[in-house]
Amino acid sequence: MLGEAARDAGYRLIIRDEVGSTMEEARRALDQGEPGKLWIVARSQNSGRGRHGRQWGSPPGNLYASLLLTDPCEPALAPQLGFVVGLALHDAAAKMLGPAASGLRLKWPNDLLLDRAKTSGLLLEGESRAGRFNVIVGCGVNIGSCPSDTPYPATFLKASAPQANVEAMLTGLSDAFARRFAIWSQPGGFGPTRAAWLERAAFLGETITIRLPEGPLAGIFIGLDPTGRLELETETGRRVIDAGDLFFGTPGGEGEAGLPR
């Protein structure tokens, strides 16, 4: 189920029927000395989670995958991997959707939207141990179904592409990541990665709200800075945001399609 480009680049695959979460399985593999470049896929999860520890339903028929990377970059650059994986998710979904792919957009920092409804999200966790920096990337893609009890619109790929399936998504995702990661890993590689991401960005040029610990901040989403921070034009001037939950619209009137998981 791994693509040819991924296999040629040295990536490997483990498939499980059911796990607590693929992130936990990747961490367990790391504890056992796993050297990395390892995809771990589960047909279902019973303890899936997203950002900030949010629970994430994981019924069969969707893609639940984590990728373990050892020493992929300096720790300060690790957040940029979110853009690499996001582009890979977009590439793989677009290949399956065909004409419907015109509705695909990437929401900063970590979601894939189809017609402004969430169809995929990702989670990055990094840690240093024994002189190595390791990153685990978790990906969840709604293929056969999506949650119906979320406070934001969600969708699934089969609704627009009946031929979509887990195997094809994994093949496309693994190949696309191998290619995108190779580009990003080159000197100055975040430049083309950033440009490609912005071409697919949701809400670019629109009014959005970023929920920060000190409160919501509204402005126009004008781009990404050279390190990947979100650039926001506010009433008091330009701000750059390292992390936060993005909504479209203004405080009190935010659109729900941008809600994070």
Side-chain angles (χ1 to χ4, degrees):
M1 285 167 46
L2 284 189
E4 183 178 356
R7 294 194 305 270
D8 289 347
Y11 292 87
R12 296 166 295 116
L13 172 66
I14 293 174
I15 300 176
R16 303 280 190 241
D17 284 331
E18 183 180 63
V19 298
S21 77
T22 58
M23 297 289 284
E24 292 173 3
E25 291 296 302
R27 191 167 291 104
R28 188 173 295 113
L30 186 61
D31 291 340
Q32 295 171 354
E34 169 59 44
K37 287 187 127 177
L38 177 67
W39 284 96
I40 298 176
V41 173
R43 293 185 173 88
S44 67
Q45 302 179 125
N46 54 48
S47 300
R49 61 186 174 85
R51 295 175 66 231
H52 310 305
R54 297 183 180 106
Q55 293 300 303
W56 187 248
S58 307
N62 297 329
L63 176 64
Y64 313 109
S66 288
L67 173 61
L68 172 60
L69 300 169
T70 58
D71 283 329
C73 60
E74 295 296 322
L77 298 179
Q80 294 179 7
L81 283 168
F83 300 102
V84 179
V85 182
L87 285 169
L89 285 165
H90 189 289
D91 292 346
K95 186 175 181 179
M96 283 197 296
L97 287 170
S102 60
L104 284 174
R105 291 292 183 272
L106 291 166
K107 183 175 80 69
W108 185 91
N110 68 346
D111 287 346
L112 179 67
L113 308 181
L114 177 58
D115 297 327
R116 294 204 172 199
K118 181 172 176 173
T119 189
S120 178
L122 63 95
L123 176 67
L124 270 75
E125 294 182 350
E127 63 173 75
S128 296
R129 62 167 77 181
R132 296 192 308 180
F133 178 65
N134 310 293
V135 175
I136 301 173
V137 185
C139 304
V141 185
N142 297 332
I143 297 176
S145 65
C146 65
S148 59
D149 57 350
T150 58
Y152 53 85
T155 190
F156 56 99
L157 296 181
K158 273 185 176 292
S160 299
Q163 77 281 5
N165 60 77
V166 172
E167 292 77 11
M169 185 68 197
L170 176 59
T171 299
L173 174 60
S174 61
D175 272 351
F177 179 82
R179 290 191 293 266
R180 293 287 186 181
F181 181 75
I183 293 170
W184 175 76
S185 298
Q186 296 298 314
F190 186 60
T193 298
R194 172 178 172 271
W197 192 94
L198 285 170
E199 288 176 0
R200 297 157 176 80
F203 316 127
L204 189 63
E206 299 183 38
T207 298
I208 61 171
T209 296
I210 303 294
R211 295 230 176 130
L212 303 171
E214 61 271 25
L217 177 66
I220 298 174
F221 177 19
I222 59 174
L224 301 175
D225 80 354
T227 67
R229 296 181 299 175
L230 183 141
E231 296 178 313
L232 196 65
E233 190 64 46
T234 73
E235 293 181 350
T236 58
R238 177 178 170 273
R239 289 279 302 274
V240 292
I241 311 297
D242 289 291
D245 288 338
L246 185 154
F247 302 73
F248 71 85
T250 55
E254 301 99 329
E256 289 188 339
L259 268 95
R261 67 173 178 175

